[in-house]
Every structure is written in structure tokens, then in C-alpha cells.
Amino acid sequence: MTAESQAGGRRTRRRDGREGGTSSLLRAERRTAYGLLLPTFIILAVIAAYPFGRVVYSSLTNAKFASSQPTSFVGLDNYRTLLSFTIRELPPRLDEAGQVVRLDGRVQYESAVSVLPRSPQRYRQVFQFGLLGKRYVLGAISADFIRAVWDTVVFTVSAVALETVLGMVIALALASNFRGRGVMRAAMLVPWAVITVVSARIWEWMLQPTRAGLFNALGSYLGISDGRTDFFGNPALQLPSMIMMDVWKTTPFMALLLLAGLSTIPSEYSEAAKVDGAGVVRRFFGITLPLLTPTLAVALIFRTLDSLRVFDIFQVVLGNQRYSMASFAQDMLVSRRDMGLSSAASVTIFALIFVFAILYVRSMKVDTQ
Amino acid sequence: MRKILIVVLAAAALAAAQAQTVVTVAAGAVGQELELTRAAAARYMALHPDVTVNVLETPDLTDNRQALYLQMFEAQSSDVDVFQIDVIWPGDMAEHFVDLYDYGAREVADQHFPAIIENNTVDGHLVGIPWFTDAGLLYYRTDLLAKYGFADPPATWSELTSMATTIQDGERAAGNPDFWGFVFQGNSYEGLTCDALEWVSSFGGGSIVSPAGVITINNPKAAAAIETAASWVGTIAPNGVTSFDEESARNMFQAGNAAFMRNWPYAYSLGNASDSVIAGKFDVSPLPAGPDGSPAATLGGWQLAVSKYSKNPAVAADVALFLASYDEQKVRAVEGSYNPTIKALYQDKDVLAAVPFFGSLYDVFINAVARPSTATAPNYAAVSRAFYTGVHSVMTGQATAAEAVAEIEADIEDVTGFPTGQP
Amino acid sequence: MTRATGARPAGKVAVKVIGKALFWLLIAVMFVYLMFPFYWALVSALKTQPELIRTPATLWPAEPVLTNFKAVLGNDRFVRAMLVSTLVATCVTLLSLAAGSFAGYALGKMRFRGRSPSLYLILAMTMFPQIAVLAGLYAVIRLLALPAVPSMILSYLLFTLPFTVWVLTSFFKGLPDSLLQAAQVDGATLFQAFRHVLLPLTAPALVTTGLLAFIQAWNEYLFALTFTVIDPPARTVPVAIALFTGEIARQEPFGEIMAAAVVVTIPLVVLVLVFQQRIVAGLTAGAVKG
């Protein structure tokens, strides 16, 4: 069967089914469908409904975790605390003579504290940026959370992009038949199989800031570093280190799903195109990729979802130096006991994941009937 | 027939339940620590045949343990009766524990270090009986001090700085490029609060928030202390010290790559293990003092508290008081070098024979500075975070010490609403 | 390689050789990339305590020792934890695949109102961070008065089931309707069509999904820690590893943790591969060829 005849056949049958189907047949199909969905919904109703509702509800209250303090409804206050931010211009610092202070030729600015509002709630600096020759500061009530949102999104976009590319390369390589394929399949499973908490520790050990760590030892053997690179203490290296750890750990997830997707693509399609003289690259973009899109979309949705909720590696490796959204929520709950704020942070994560999921589904057109 | 069987079984179960009171103790998971607790539980059961004491291990990571406990309090679970709690938790968790004064702790309370009893007392209630204590110590390499002509460990931070510089330069020249003068806990976490509180306090800069609830951190002495510590980073301490915890520091010191280390007493027996390269080549002393202060050590350690949700609070309290009694603390001190919280044990000759350094460090333990956890409860975690984040920003060069202490003061003001003042 | 079609035979051979060499280079690079952290765990587990912290780090232990492995394997609780983990992860996988393939078939192949909202609703169930739902979940588990093992199985479905449903939906949707209808025309019942046509075709997807779900369940830590607090015999591997400690408080037995990582990972990978081949072979055996 060629690609064309199959696709054509599918189209006509679909149309036939829709036009010729009686309403009773459709009703029967609908009943069967609901029946098939029932187990899933029962399970989810039992385990997810209450925890789900409780998070949403407590995000609207001032509930304290593990406390007998009375709880009251506060509306959207928690969200206001979490998400309020402001952008203020920083005036240049002037000396007594009213001249702009310069250091090494660079204009010095007033401190952020002087321009950010103090009451009713205090705004803290998230970061400063320059635009059109002026300097601005972004301040927020929960500066840690705004920074966590930014960091988590950067982390997610970079990690997922890298994982997709690497996962695709590995899946394509493994889809071809070669000796030693079994060994490679095993190797591919290893990162995913290593327990998450332990894998964070392995990386922490490899990235130690002394030559007792693999990276610093290799760096100094090869003469490319002084063997004292501080991967977790240096703010510029923190996110790249996190991304490197996550990409290693979860590339297999991507690769396995894509490999399964590849195996369901009938080889006839590709063979036919080969006969037509299409090259490797054209065959990939013209045939393989489009047919793989539904699988890719699901893989992307779940990888993005997991990355936006990333918790373990931030918690284990960075502690309280820098938060992901979920480790912020955890910290709010456990050390601050602020269940309301923590729940609001979780709902924000939820909303962000939803936006990503819909974007994927829409842009990759996987949900069209 | 079946009915009868059920009735008989139910009656038997009831009888067994009446005969046996089960008390569950959540304790540390550490090998020896757990064994000692199990042995103590066995001794209690031998004395009280009608009580069964279960010892549950909980994860040794303090954060994990705290999260776990809170989860149980939130559910008001009666599954665990006695909790092993950190010295900074009594204020925070007080509402979930019974007042041990109601269960006979009054008679024994004054045997313990007063600072710990004060720390564990919330609104006049004793929420935890001290079990074992901890305090920051200075570890130093006796062989290297001798090699470079130093007779005694440093008494002040500036002495430490100059000694560390000399030794570090010497060892580097002798061919160890990985050698550093001083290591400590510099990561942005509770451990930095402990270390930095020692610096600030030893400079005479107070204890962040006074016991009376005044925010005292914004003072020149505190700023000078933090400034001094920041000057170590990259000179006598590795740049990476700003991401060090206890184990990173110990690993470096134990590999023979550091002359001085600030750490808790646990590193002592590990450093003297048979396969350790520094075995017998180091000793401990009180931490150095600031220019016009006296040495300070941050108080650590663990208490036993009885859950309010326990079905048998009286028996549970009895178990807790038994575990923390003179005899039991003595066993733990002799067999596991756990620092007792009972003053008299530091003069006990069996204890001193087993752990000689206890005698000389009595002063360190009795003068240990408590973190302001009880005064700032239930906001201690936020207060501590403000403090270590501020200190960390100075250590990584993102802020000056004067800016940082002002920022810390403002942050703590926001969280607690306490007045500000000088120490 | 694209140009090779028009080249002379000799050039063709050369291009082929270069292509092959590049392919093997790629495989080698991939292998090193996937394995080096695991290699480091293995090497660290074989080192003595002093060598573990020595600078500069040695790439292979000077005197490999098995103390860490002996400590791990001699730990009854750890061996038990591996059995519990296997049980929990297997149940979770089977339940997710069963419920998930029903739901996936309905969502991927049937027409009914509420299809799209159902998909999103199922996805929504898994979008909160674990820490946020833990308190609520703990309350549910206590209300149902479930022992630790069923609690873990049930709560892991929270993340494995939506994943299974979504993946299987996408795979079912990709299957040509013609095959299914052809089978039905042949007089097969819906179940037969499912068993002999759909199942063999989706076998790779089922096995892959099952595998990913299995390992996800195997690796879960937070729920397991909370639900097994008062039931030590029900502890799973990640919890057992977290409870590894040295003889002394605060000491972290890094070598033992690494040994445990190696001991847990290798049988898991081998088992998974063996099962995978068996299952794929079994499922595709009764297939009706399209």
C-alpha cells in the first residue's frame, strides 16, 4: 500500500462514515467512548480532585501550613503579592556640583532602593536593564518569585530545545540497523533510569569547585581552566549547569518516544520517496518529521510540563541561592509555612504550563479532528 | 461460629492493645545514632514491659525531615508520638507539642544547659527536652602549625588570616596547588547563618535579633565582621567556598587541602578514622575572636518533643525524658561521642575518658550562641533567609557589608515588624 | 551523501566509507555523552574514602575497593526496597497502560462530544508541582486508610496516567482507520480487532510508554517518603538511598550512594531491555498484517 492510496482511503472512509452513519450508531460509539474513559476519570477523581481543589482554594486564603491559626478568604491578594512588579527609571547619580558621576567613563546610577516603592509593600530589585540610553530597574514584591519565573522559563526553553535536537539525533541513529544497537539502547536508558535525586548528586560531585571534581580535574589536565571553576556559586554558570544536568537526564525520554514514533511510520513512505530521488534531508523534513509531529508534540508537552515544574535539581544543587518556581513554592510552604502564597505560586505554574500546552497543540495542529 | 470467632479476635486485639501502649519515636537515620536510640528504646521496654517503643528513621537532611514533620502536623496525625527536632524548630512548631513541664520535666530541666532550655521554652512551656548539642569549632592542622612555627591555634580572626596566608603560601610553594588556608560553610543556606552569626557575635555585633525582639544587625561591628569574612574568599578560602556546605568543607580538610576549618564536632572522629590522611594531625579549639569581642560558637543540636496529637502523651513524655536522662545521655556520649546537654556529664570521668576533648570545650558548649529562632518564631526561616542571603551577597561581591546589613535589617523589619536598635 | 547518487563508483565507495566512519563517530560520541556521569558514579563507588576526596581527581581508582558495594548489598533494607520498588512500579505501569489504552483508544479513534476538554482535563490533573498536591493527597490517603504500597501505586497514577493517555491517544490517532474497519468487516468483534490489529500495531508505543512510566514510578521520591514514614518495610529505593547515612550524623557516605546508584541502575536497564524484546515479540505475534 502506498502512502497516497492509504491517505486517500482514509479520507473517503471518514467521509463515508460521517454521512452514512445513523444516529444510533453514533450514540453507541459515544457510549463506548465514555465507557472506555470511565476508569481513567474514576482514578483521577479519587486521587486528583480533592488535592487539586484544595490548592486552588487555599491560593485564595491566608492559610498557614501545619498551623491551627484561623484561615480567612483574601481573594486575589496572594496573586497580587506574587506577581506585582514595577519598572522605574534610575536617575544618574549626581555629585555635589550637580555633575553626573562617572566611573571609568561609565555613568553611575542611583541605587534601586531609592526609586522603588516602600509602602504599602516593599518592592525589591529583580534586575536592571538599559534601554535607549536610560537605565531602568524592574522591582517586584516577591522578587525571588519573579526571578524564579524568569529562570524557570529560560531553563525550560533551553533544556527542552536541546533535548529535542539531541533526542531526535539519537532516535534517528538508533532507528537504523547496526551492530551494537542493543548496547546503545541500554546506554540510552541509563540517564533516565538513574534515580533523579541521585543523578543530581552525581552531577554535584562532578561539578565541584575544586579539582576533586571531574570537570575541574579535566579542565586543569587539559589546561583550559585553573581547576577552580565554581559552577554552582557563579551566577553566570548556575543556569547552564542546571540545563546541562537536565538535558543529560531527560534526553532519553525524548529519544525513546521519538524512536517509538519512528517505528510506527511505515517504511514504505520513506522507500517511495527514496525511489523518487529525495535526499536524506528532504526525506526527513518532507516525510519523517510531519509524520512524527503528533509524537513530537506529546513529547514536547510532557517535557515542558516537567521542566516548568523542575524541583529536585534546583533544591539539591542550588539550595536557596536561586529558585525554580516549584522550589520557591516548596520553600514558601516548608520554611515560611505560607500555604496561601505557595498555592498561588503553584497555580501560576499551572497556568503557565497550560499556556505552553495550548501553544504546542495549536502550533503543531495535533488536535484537529 | 464465624461471629464468635470475630468477637474472640476483637476481644483479644483489645486486650493486647490495652496491655501494650505503643510509642513511636521519629529519630535520625544515621547508622550509629539509630543503633544507640534503638538500644535505649530496648532498655526502656525492659523497664516497662507494657510499653512498646518503635524507633523510626527519618531522612538526615534537615529540610526533608522538617517537611515530613509538617506534613504530619498538617494532617494532625497520631502516628508519631515523639519527634526529634532541631534546635531552631521549637518556636516554630510549639503549637504541635505538649508542655513537658506538665509531665515531670520540671525536676530535670535545670540539669541541662540553660541556653538550650531557654531556647526550647515558648511562652513558658517547655516544648522539647534537650537530647544532644552541637557547637561550631575551629579545626586546625597541628603538623602544619608546627611546620610554620606557630605554637598555638589562632585566638583572633586576624591571627587566623595571617597564619592561613603563611601556611597556604608555603604549601603551594611546596607543590600542592589545591591547598587553601581556611574552609567553612559559605553556601546560601542555614549553615551560613550559623557561621556568620559566629563572626558577627565574636566581633561584638550582636545576634541578629536580640532575645527581647530588637533587630540589632545593622551596626558597624556586624558589618566589619562580614567584611572580614568576605575578604577571605579567593585569598585564604577558595572562591568555591560560597557554595560549600559542611561536607564540602570536611572533604577538603580531610583530603589534607586546608589548614583551618570551621565545622561541627562530627568531623572530629571522621578525621581520625584509620584511613584518613590527616588522622592524628589535627585538633580542635574554640573559634577565634573579633577585635574587641570574645569567641562565639553557634548552638546546634537536637531535642525530643512530644506530639499534641499523640494518643498517649504521658507515656510518650516519659519515653522522651528517659531518652534524654543522665544515664542515657552518658551512654550516647561514651559510645557515640554525642555532646550531652547535661552539665554534670562534662565532669563525668567515664565520659572524659572516652572523649577527652569534651572537658576542654565545656566553655564552648555552655557559651554557645543560639540563633534567634525562638524570639522570631514563627518567622525564623524568613529571618534566617534574609540574613544568609545578605551575607552571601557580600561574600560574592554583589554588595558591600554596610549595604547588606541595612538590607537585612529592612527585610527582617518587613517580616517581623520588630523595632530596630543596637546590640 | 545526497550527491552520491550521481558520482562515479569509486567516489561512491569513498563517500560510503566516510559516511560510515562519521556514523560510527556519532555513535561513539553519543555513547560517551550518555555514559560518562554513570561512569563517574561507578568510579566513585570503587574508590576508597581518601581517594574519593583527593585532588586532582583520578579517572580510574588507584586501588579499586568493593567496600561500598558490599555495604549496599549487605543492607537488607536496601534489597527489600528494590523488591518493593519493582512491585510498585509494575502495578503502576500495568494500571496506567490498561486505563490509558482504553482512554487513548476512545480519545484517538472515536467521535463524541467533549473529546478535547477531556484531553485537557486529564492533562490538567498532572500540572501542579508535586509539593503542592502532597498535603491534599496525604489527606485523601488517610481518609481511605490505605497502607503504604497501595497509596504509592494510586498516587503515582497522578503523573503516569495522564502521560500514558496522551501518548497512546496520539499513537492510536496515527493508525489508519482502514485497518480497523477492514478487520471489523472480516467479522471480527471489537475486542478481536483490538487484540489482533490495534495492539500489535501500537506495541512499540505501549512498551515505550510503559517503560517511561515504569521508570518514572521507580524514581519517585517525595510521595514515597511521606507515605512510608510509619511503614519502613514499604520503603522504595529512592527513600532507602535517602536514608543512607554514614556512621556519624551529618556525614554523607557518598561512595555508598554511588554504589547504590550503580546497583539499582544496571539490573533495571537489563530487565527493561529483556522485557521490552519479549513483550514486543509477544504482542506482534498474533498480528494481522496490513
Side-chain angles (χ1 to χ4, degrees), chain B residues 81-420:
Chain B
D81 304 284
V82 181
F83 288 90
Q84 175 183 336
I85 60 167
D86 198 342
V87 72
I88 53 175
W89 298 347
D92 237 10
M93 297 183 176
E95 62 169 299
H96 305 288
F97 298 130
V98 302
D99 179 2
L100 289 171
Y101 283 144
D102 295 343
Y103 297 93
R106 191 77 65 180
E107 294 95 82
V108 292
D110 57 356
Q111 297 174 4
H112 295 266
F113 288 140
I116 310 181
I117 291 290
E118 191 191 335
N119 178 76
N120 295 359
T121 307
V122 180
D123 299 331
H125 302 308
L126 184 68
V127 297
I129 186 83
W131 199 16
F132 55 97
T133 185
D134 238 355
L137 297 174
L138 182 73
Y139 288 74
Y140 62 96
R141 287 280 297 277
T142 45
D143 58 332
L144 293 178
L145 257 61
K147 183 174 166 188
Y148 293 91
F150 300 110
D152 294 305
T156 63
W157 291 112
S158 58
E159 268 177 54
L160 179 130
T161 309
S162 70
M163 284 162 80
T165 312
T166 310
I167 300 175
Q168 180 178 307
D169 291 348
E171 289 301 296
R172 292 245 179 112
N176 183 357
D178 297 307
F179 195 89
W180 289 95
F182 183 39
V183 288
F184 51 91
Q185 292 78 47
N187 200 353
S188 179
Y189 78 125
E190 185 62 31
L192 180 57
T193 293
C194 297
D195 286 32
L197 176 60
E198 283 157 358
W199 308 329
V200 168
S201 182
S202 69
F203 269 68
S207 59
I208 312 170
V209 177
S210 76
V214 178
I215 305 164
T216 59
I217 185 61
N218 190 3
N219 68 74
K221 285 176 178 170
I226 298 169
E227 194 90 52
T228 307
S231 74
W232 297 329
V233 180
T235 56
I236 58 167
N239 289 311
V241 80
T242 53
S243 57
F244 268 27
D245 61 6
E246 283 87 351
E247 280 291 85
S248 333
R250 181 179 72 84
N251 284 337
M252 204 155 159
F253 186 74
Q254 201 166 316
N257 285 334
F260 296 101
M261 166 174 76
R262 183 274 175 205
N263 218 323
W264 305 95
Y266 85 101
Y268 190 83
S269 51
L270 289 169
N272 276 324
S274 56
D275 63 354
S276 164
V277 298
I278 56 159
K281 295 179 184 167
F282 72 99
D283 207 346
V284 289
S285 75
L287 285 161
D292 29 45
S294 54
T298 297
L299 181 70
W302 295 85
Q303 343 296 318
L304 289 170
V306 173
S307 166
K308 214 167 78 179
Y309 315 110
S310 165
K311 291 198 176 94
N312 303 293
V315 184
D318 196 48
V319 172
L321 293 179
F322 174 82
L323 291 175
S325 66
Y326 184 97
D327 290 339
E328 288 302 324
Q329 287 208 5
K330 181 171 169 178
V331 173
R332 290 175 77 89
V334 172
E335 289 180 15
S337 338
Y338 284 89
N339 301 287
T341 60
I342 294 175
K343 289 170 278 184
L345 279 168
Y346 288 84
Q347 273 106 50
D348 189 292
K349 57 179 190 313
D350 296 336
V351 172
L352 290 181
V355 203
F357 80 91
F358 274 8
S360 57
L361 294 177
Y362 176 72
D363 286 343
V364 174
F365 292 117
I366 196 147
N367 293 321
V369 188
R371 285 161 275 173
S373 57
T374 309
T376 60
N379 296 314
Y380 173 67
V383 169
S384 177
R385 160 118 56 87
F387 181 61
Y388 65 64
T389 312
V391 175
H392 196 258
S393 70
V394 181
M395 315 264 298
T396 52
Q398 289 161 330
T400 67
E403 283 166 9
V405 290
E407 180 87 10
I408 296 168
E409 179 187 58
D411 282 345
I412 298 179
E413 240 185 310
D414 283 356
V415 172
T416 60
F418 288 169
T420 59

Side-chain angles (χ1 to χ4, degrees), chain A residues 14-273:
Chain A
R14 270 259 168 103
R15 204 177 295 132
D16 286 349
R18 220 169 274 158
E19 283 163 5
T22 60
S23 60
S24 75
L25 246 172
L26 267 179
R27 226 177 296 135
E29 186 173 343
R30 193 184 307 155
R31 255 202 314 273
T32 321
Y34 291 147
L36 288 172
L37 280 171
L38 201 60
T40 298
F41 276 104
I42 290 179
I43 293 173
L44 291 177
V46 170
I47 53 172
Y50 174 71
F52 189 100
R54 185 171 145 150
V55 175
V56 175
Y57 173 74
S58 54
S59 78
L60 302 172
T61 68
N62 63 354
K64 290 275 169 211
F65 186 49
S67 160
S68 51
Q69 271 176 41
T71 300
S72 56
F73 190 79
V74 295
L76 295 175
D77 276 7
N78 288 322
Y79 293 94
R80 216 165 286 141
T81 309
L82 269 186
L83 301 172
S84 295
F85 67 89
T86 177
I87 293 175
R88 299 286 164 109
E89 191 193 329
L90 279 178
R93 189 175 291 165
L94 303 177
D95 59 16
E96 277 116 36
Q99 292 296 306
V100 173
V101 181
R102 282 168 198 274
L103 198 71
D104 302 332
R106 293 175 61 179
V107 181
Q108 297 296 299
Y109 294 95
E110 286 294 333
S111 76
V113 181
S114 62
V115 295
L116 289 173
R118 262 240 54 153
S119 64
Q121 268 165 307
R122 179 156 157 241
Y123 282 73
R124 279 156 236 255
Q125 171 178 323
V126 181
F127 53 75
Q128 296 186 6
F129 58 96
L131 191 71
L132 303 173
K134 287 186 174 167
R135 189 138 186 103
Y136 297 90
V137 57
L138 178 78
I141 297 177
S142 304
D144 280 340
F145 186 68
I146 300 294
R147 211 173 290 132
V149 173
W150 174 252
D151 283 347
T152 312
V153 171
V154 170
F155 168 83
T156 301
V157 171
S158 338
V160 173
L162 280 169
E163 281 155 30
T164 311
V165 173
L166 284 174
M168 186 70 86
V169 171
I170 293 177
L172 287 173
L174 281 181
S176 63
N177 232 329
F178 62 92
R179 209 187 302 168
R181 190 157 165 250
V183 177
M184 273 309 287
R185 285 189 88 110
M188 180 174 76
L189 273 178
V190 165
W192 180 247
V194 173
I195 291 175
T196 320
V197 185
V198 175
S199 117
R201 305 303 316 282
I202 298 177
W203 280 92
E204 196 184 12
W205 196 257
M206 289 196 298
L207 292 171
Q208 281 178 84
T210 64
R211 290 201 301 160
L214 175 65
F215 279 75
N216 270 316
L218 280 182
S220 79
Y221 283 142
L222 301 174
I224 47 176
S225 84
D226 58 357
R228 287 170 199 163
T229 309
D230 189 4
F231 293 95
F232 301 133
N234 181 345
L237 294 177
Q238 284 167 342
L239 273 189
S241 304
M242 294 292 115
I243 292 166
M244 178 160 71
M245 291 160 70
D246 192 63
V247 169
W248 177 75
K249 180 85 180 84
T250 49
T251 298
F253 177 93
M254 221 26 154
L256 274 169
L257 273 179
L258 292 178
L259 193 56
L262 282 174
S263 70
T264 56
I265 298 177
S267 54
E268 292 91 337
Y269 288 17
S270 202
E271 296 296 324

Side-chain angles (χ1 to χ4, degrees), chain A residues 324-338:
Chain A
S324 71
M325 292 190 290
S327 75
F328 178 88
Q330 144 93 14
D331 196 62
M332 275 295 134
L333 187 70
V334 173
S335 19
R336 300 283 285 269
R337 311 289 256 326
D338 199 329

Side-chain angles (χ1 to χ4, degrees), chain C residues 260-281:
Chain C
V262 175
V263 167
V264 173
T265 308
I266 288 179
L268 183 64
V269 168
V270 171
L271 262 180
V272 158
L273 284 177
V274 171
F275 265 106
Q276 191 182 6
Q277 275 167 0
R278 282 257 171 121
I279 294 169
V280 174

